[in-house]
Amino acid sequence: MRAIIVAGYEFRSTMRNPLVLVSIILLLAISVISAYGFTLNAFSSNQGQGTSLLSVFMTSLGGNAYEISSIFLILSVCLGVFSIVEERHGGTLGVLISKPVYRRDVILGKFIGLSGFLLMAISLVLAIRVSTALILHPMPAWSFTEIFARIASLGASLFLYCVVMLGISMMVGVLFKNIALAIALSATIVYVEWFTPLLAPLNILNPKILYLHYLWGRHDNNFIFSVSSPYLAWLSSVFPYFILLAAEAIIVLLIDCVLFSREEA
Amino acid sequence: MRNTFVIAGKEFSDLVRSNVMVVALAVYCMLLLYEYYDSYNVINNNLLQFGVVGPVDDPAISPGSLVSVLCGYGGLVAVVLGLSSMYYEVSNRAINTLMVKPVYRDVILNGKLLGAVFFAFCIFVFTVLVNISLNFVFWGEHFSRAFPAFLGRLPVVLVSYMLVFMMFYLLTVLMFLLFHRSSLAFFLAFIAWIFLYEVVPSGFSPSLASFFPNSEQMGWVISCLSPKGMLSLIFDRAADGVGAFSANILEFFKLMLYVGALLISCYIVFLRRDVS
């Protein structure tokens, strides 16, 4: 219960952070530009070949998914690491843990509050994406449930991925009291995880690989917005990755709780 | 001038003593080692299967690994160093103490930048030494023969690295001076880095170019405006020494333009704004 109070406070303070406004504007701009660009490019590259409206619609929904994910990744990491180190440096973390709340409630509340914000941001970006696609061309004659299920699956997996990275960056914030070191390590984790194959031996645990396998299939041949495979067929082939991501999110949260309970007041 | 060097010396010693340096150097070594191991395996496989090295540059003198590590991860290190150097100065009130002394504000900024440049140069020297050692380990005798050619390519790598490093360092300092919030400054600088290094050169430039007529060429132009695009142009046609500079004068000019614009913005903001 107390975790929910902390979560509410964290959510409200995150919403007041100027970082949120900047990131949302940026993400919305990229979403609109991507949807528009992918639609135009899909039409022009298929001229005279009987372009399927459905495939153009799905392309404009899924275009630049990788780039948008990378921006959400940075947003999660920044929110996670600064939610701990800035409060510790400003002295508010000390005040919070001297109150009659369990430390696990503090970290759980922060995690839930930030996750709530990420869920809201992801939903907003995806809603804008769908709206832009619908403005650019009419709804294709395809099951609405099928389209909605795919968009919801993309949102759910992106949310889980962001939550795992949020937990990892909070862990860095808890472990390292030096703000510069915590920031450097978070940036290094993002770089190594997202841009290098250094973690290849741990691919089965690497959240990025799990997330990409979920979106594109294990051999990059089963994209979430591909019209060639039905939704349930796609889902059955990628569901294990979703479960692994969810398990990682829970494990990271538990580790955060254990580490933070050793925090000195 | 003396004040500038005093501030530069202090900035340099702060950066050297910082824990960030240990992390940065360790990751540089790891990345270089991985790049070498990976390319060594690929080339060895080509040799075993086809009896040729394959359509790649001479591995012993190619600065590919060095450039990708120095300019890729180096940009991110510049972001972290820029943020930590400003954050500690402001949070410890050291910058207030400095500003009440009889030194001009531009001297403070010059000193900090000079210190960062020295530090970046030290990182470059360290990384090149590691690179040379790895070259000897992996390529042995072959590298001894190619060593002069390798050295001939280093000035291009150094200039490119320093420009990229200063670009992201100045960008972070500017963001901190403008917004006074470490989280926002870090986020914006990190986003700028990922935009210029990953988003624009990869999938986003065709989307952005679709707003313009002649979108295919426009997409190429947009991707060439990112540092990654410029670096790939520079090192695709890199010769050695002076030849490399004259062949890529436009790319170096564009990088210098970015650095110059950020430098002027930093001066304007630092001289006119309250930074305490």
Side-chain angles (χ1 to χ4, degrees):
Chain A
M1 188 59 198
R2 286 179 197 275
I4 300 298
I5 296 170
V6 178
Y9 166 77
E10 190 67 29
F11 184 81
R12 283 192 298 277
S13 70
T14 305
M15 291 300 285
R16 284 195 295 268
N17 193 336
L19 189 153
V20 166
L21 185 68
V22 173
S23 58
I24 294 288
I25 290 173
L26 192 71
L27 282 162
L28 294 184
I30 293 176
S31 292
V32 173
I33 291 170
S34 303
Y36 181 79
F38 268 81
T39 305
L40 280 190
N41 290 339
F43 271 125
S44 61
S45 63
N46 288 301
Q47 263 173 1
Q49 294 173 24
T51 311
S52 140
L53 181 65
L54 178 64
S55 79
V56 174
F57 184 79
M58 294 311 249
T59 307
S60 74
L61 280 183
N64 286 133
Y66 184 82
E67 286 77 12
I68 290 173
S69 309
S70 66
I71 292 173
F72 267 113
L73 162 70
I74 292 178
L75 179 63
S76 319
V77 168
C78 285
L79 287 175
V81 74
F82 281 103
S83 75
I84 304 287
V85 295
E86 260 190 347
E87 289 215 2
R88 183 187 284 133
H89 211 74
T92 45
L93 197 65
V95 175
L96 195 61
I97 56 180
S98 64
K99 301 268 179 202
V101 284
Y102 288 116
R103 289 181 187 191
R104 63 160 189 268
D105 286 343
V106 173
I107 200 86
L108 200 61
K110 280 183 170 295
F111 189 84
I112 294 171
L114 292 173
S115 303
F117 163 72
L118 285 171
L119 184 62
M120 195 196 71
I122 290 169
S123 310
L124 182 65
V125 168
L126 288 181
I128 292 290
R129 195 69 193 251
V130 176
S131 311
T132 315
L134 284 172
I135 289 167
L136 290 171
H137 33 66
M139 180 85 174
W142 213 33
S143 158
F144 176 77
T145 325
E146 179 102 350
I147 294 173
F148 180 78
R150 285 172 196 258
I151 292 164
S153 302
L154 170 65
S157 63
L158 181 56
F159 172 67
L160 271 184
Y161 175 60
C162 289
V163 161
V164 173
M165 296 313 290
L166 175 78
I168 291 173
S169 55
M170 284 174 81
M171 197 188 299
V172 172
V174 170
L175 282 173
F176 299 96
K177 298 200 167 37
N178 180 325
I179 191 165
L181 186 60
I183 294 170
L185 283 171
S186 307
T188 303
I189 288 170
V190 171
Y191 184 80
V192 168
E193 199 249 355
W194 193 261
F195 297 101
T196 70
L198 266 181
L199 298 178
L202 303 171
N203 266 355
I204 194 67
L205 296 174
N206 185 345
K208 178 205 170 184
I209 300 295
L210 296 178
Y211 172 63
L212 294 184
H213 280 348
Y214 177 87
L215 287 193
W216 272 274
R218 194 170 175 194
H219 303 291
D220 288 347
N221 56 358
N222 198 11
F223 186 46
I224 185 170
F225 289 111
S226 160
V227 291
S228 56
S229 62
Y231 174 71
L232 285 178
W234 167 83
L235 186 65
S236 60
S237 68
V238 299
F239 197 65
Y241 300 114
F242 187 82
I243 296 293
L244 276 174
L245 262 179
E248 275 190 9
I250 294 167
I251 291 167
V252 167
L253 177 60
L254 290 176
I255 295 172
D256 281 350
C257 288
V258 171
L259 291 174
F260 193 71
S261 58
R262 295 175 187 172
E263 176 84 15
E264 286 170 19
Chain B
M1 200 63 189
R2 189 177 161 273
N3 286 338
T4 307
F5 282 111
V6 170
I7 295 169
K10 189 219 164 240
E11 179 72 13
F12 181 76
S13 65
D14 282 352
L15 290 173
V16 169
R17 280 201 303 263
S18 143
N19 293 333
V20 176
M21 196 193 76
V22 180
V23 175
L25 295 184
V27 176
Y28 274 124
C29 290
M30 249 163 47
L31 291 172
L32 272 175
L33 193 61
Y34 180 82
E35 292 256 350
Y36 265 84
Y37 184 69
D38 195 41
S39 63
Y40 184 76
N41 276 345
V42 169
I43 291 161
N44 257 0
N45 282 346
N46 280 352
L47 275 171
L48 285 174
Q49 280 185 352
F50 310 113
V52 290
V53 169
V56 291
D57 203 353
D58 185 340
I61 58 166
S62 166
S65 320
L66 198 57
V67 173
S68 80
V69 173
L70 274 174
C71 297
Y73 183 63
L76 211 47
V77 171
V79 168
V80 174
L81 290 178
L83 183 77
S84 66
S85 95
M86 286 311 290
Y87 180 81
Y88 284 122
E89 293 280 336
V90 173
S91 65
N92 297 340
R93 310 250 172 226
I95 203 135
N96 287 8
T97 314
L98 207 55
M99 280 194 298
V100 294
K101 304 262 179 207
V103 285
Y104 292 110
R105 281 191 177 200
D106 59 331
V107 171
I108 299 174
L109 194 59
N110 288 342
K112 287 187 93 60
L113 296 181
L114 205 57
V117 167
F118 285 146
F119 183 74
F121 182 73
C122 290
I123 287 187
F124 174 81
V125 171
F126 172 82
T127 315
V128 166
L129 289 177
V130 173
N131 189 279
I132 289 173
S133 317
L134 287 171
N135 267 323
F136 274 115
V137 170
F138 282 101
W139 303 109
E141 185 65 23
H142 181 62
F143 182 66
S144 312
R145 287 195 300 273
F147 192 59
F150 176 83
L151 286 182
R153 288 183 170 202
L154 281 184
V156 191
V157 181
L158 173 65
V159 173
S160 311
Y161 164 65
M162 292 305 256
L163 287 171
V164 170
F165 183 93
M166 286 317 289
M167 183 177 154
F168 287 106
Y169 185 86
L170 286 166
L171 183 73
T172 317
V173 170
L174 181 65
M175 292 297 151
F176 194 91
L177 291 173
L178 278 174
F179 300 111
H180 288 203
R181 278 188 80 126
S182 50
S183 54
L184 186 59
F186 179 65
F187 177 74
L188 288 173
F190 204 165
I191 283 288
W193 177 83
I194 207 166
F195 237 79
L196 295 172
Y197 248 87
E198 182 67 19
V199 175
V200 172
S202 61
F204 193 60
S205 54
S207 302
L208 201 56
S210 62
F211 285 89
F212 300 93
N214 214 349
S215 58
E216 206 166 303
Q217 282 175 336
M218 202 61 202
W220 188 77
V221 170
I222 291 171
S223 77
C224 287
L225 286 174
S226 79
K228 194 177 183 183
M230 292 177 212
L231 289 174
S232 67
L233 280 177
I234 290 171
F235 290 99
D236 273 355
R237 51 182 185 225
D240 51 352
V242 183
F245 287 108
S246 56
N248 301 293
I249 191 89
L250 184 65
E251 266 55 58
F252 283 113
F253 176 73
K254 281 191 282 186
L255 275 174
M256 277 191 257
L257 205 63
Y258 286 159
V259 175
L262 286 166
L263 187 63
I264 292 167
S265 309
C266 276
Y267 275 123
I268 292 170
V269 175
F270 194 65
L271 294 181
R272 296 181 74 90
R273 265 181 84 103
D274 180 14
V275 288
S276 56

